Amino acid sequence: DVKVTQSSRYLVKRTGEKVFLECVQDMDHENMFWYRQDPGLGLRLIYFSYDVKMKEKGDIPEGYSVSREKKERFSLILESASTNQTSMYLCASTIRDFHNEQFFGPGTRLTVL
Amino acid sequence: GIQVEQSPPDLILQEGANSTLRCNFSDSVNNLQWFHQNPWGQLINLFYIPSGTKQNGRLSATTVATERYSLLYISSSQTTDSGVYFCAVDSPYSGGGADGLTFGKGTHLIIQP
């Protein structure tokens, strides 16, 4: 069965803190994605990775970085959290061909105070 | 980039009713998925359907790629069907190197007992 997990369901951080959001998939998928979801704006792509140590910017990469040291793990990093990064963060993965079914993790609801 | 429009934005039905949710997209697609977002925020995969018709229990979906729309049918609605339904596409013309999904704004479905 397909499984994507995220390290936290809820997270509260303070402005200026460095924040790590972790995503792990057990399907041996090559491609992994980070999205954020906001009321009125919907889901938007932040970054994606098509292989270990490879990364590509999505539509809204500003204020974020990513790390992919192992195939199964994709981390989203907020170098200095700000209140406008309060959001729901969703991780997804798919096999090498991008145009295939994406599977999502349960999401992390991040609040930055 | 590609535009995805879902209708209706909100739908309130009695238990047992049938419903049709629509997704229009502005350009050719390689991937089209329907998701149900549960109250905890997780996106549940319903259908991967870039073209054709699929059925899974009380749910079915049809995509007419040449006319750029997809329909999700829910029959004999149950209260557990409540939530937000998203259509998402992956266009060959995503541009900018971003090959993530582009989501519609969703249909908020409420099934009353």
Side-chain angles (χ1 to χ4, degrees), chain B residues 42-106:
Chain B
Q42 173 136 28
L43 287 171
I44 309 297
N45 290 43
L46 296 177
F47 293 102
Y48 168 73
I49 187 166
S51 64
T53 297
K54 289 186 178 180
Q55 179 151 11
N56 184 4
R58 296 182 295 104
L59 274 60
S60 63
T62 295
T63 298
V64 183
T66 52
E67 297 187 22
R68 298 181 185 167
Y69 74 88
S70 184
L71 301 173
L72 177 69
Y73 305 96
I74 305 173
S75 64
S76 304
S77 298
Q78 301 175 0
T79 55
T80 51
D81 294 331
S82 296
V84 183
Y85 289 79
F86 288 102
C87 168
V89 302
D90 174 9
S91 167
Y93 311 113
S94 292
D99 285 290
L101 294 171
T102 299
F103 283 77
K105 293 283 197 290

Side-chain angles (χ1 to χ4, degrees), chain B residues 2-7 20-29 31-34 49-53 61-73 87-89:
Chain B
I2 193 168
Q3 305 298 313
V4 181
E5 293 185 1
Q6 291 187 242
S7 60
T20 301
L21 281 57
R22 186 177 180 102
C23 172
N24 292 333
F25 43 95
S26 61
D27 214 328
S28 301
V29 296
N31 173 9
L32 188 146
Q33 291 184 243
W34 282 98
I49 187 166
S51 64
T53 297
T62 295
T63 298
V64 183
T66 52
E67 297 187 22
R68 298 181 185 167
Y69 74 88
S70 184
L71 301 173
L72 177 69
Y73 305 96
C87 168
V89 302

Side-chain angles (χ1 to χ4, degrees), chain A residues 9 35 37 48 99 101-102, chain B residues 33 37 45 48 90 97 101:
Chain A
R9 293 301 303 274
Y35 297 83
Q37 182 178 19
F48 68 99
H99 309 302
E101 188 173 8
Q102 287 195 21
Chain B
Q33 291 184 243
Q37 190 164 40
N45 290 43
Y48 168 73
D90 174 9
L101 294 171

Side-chain angles (χ1 to χ4, degrees), chain A residues 6-11 21 87-90 106-110:
Chain A
Q6 294 182 229
S7 50
S8 306
R9 293 301 303 274
Y10 300 94
L11 206 54
L21 302 183
S87 186
M88 175 68 145
Y89 290 88
L90 292 152
T108 295
R109 202 172 289 277
L110 173 67

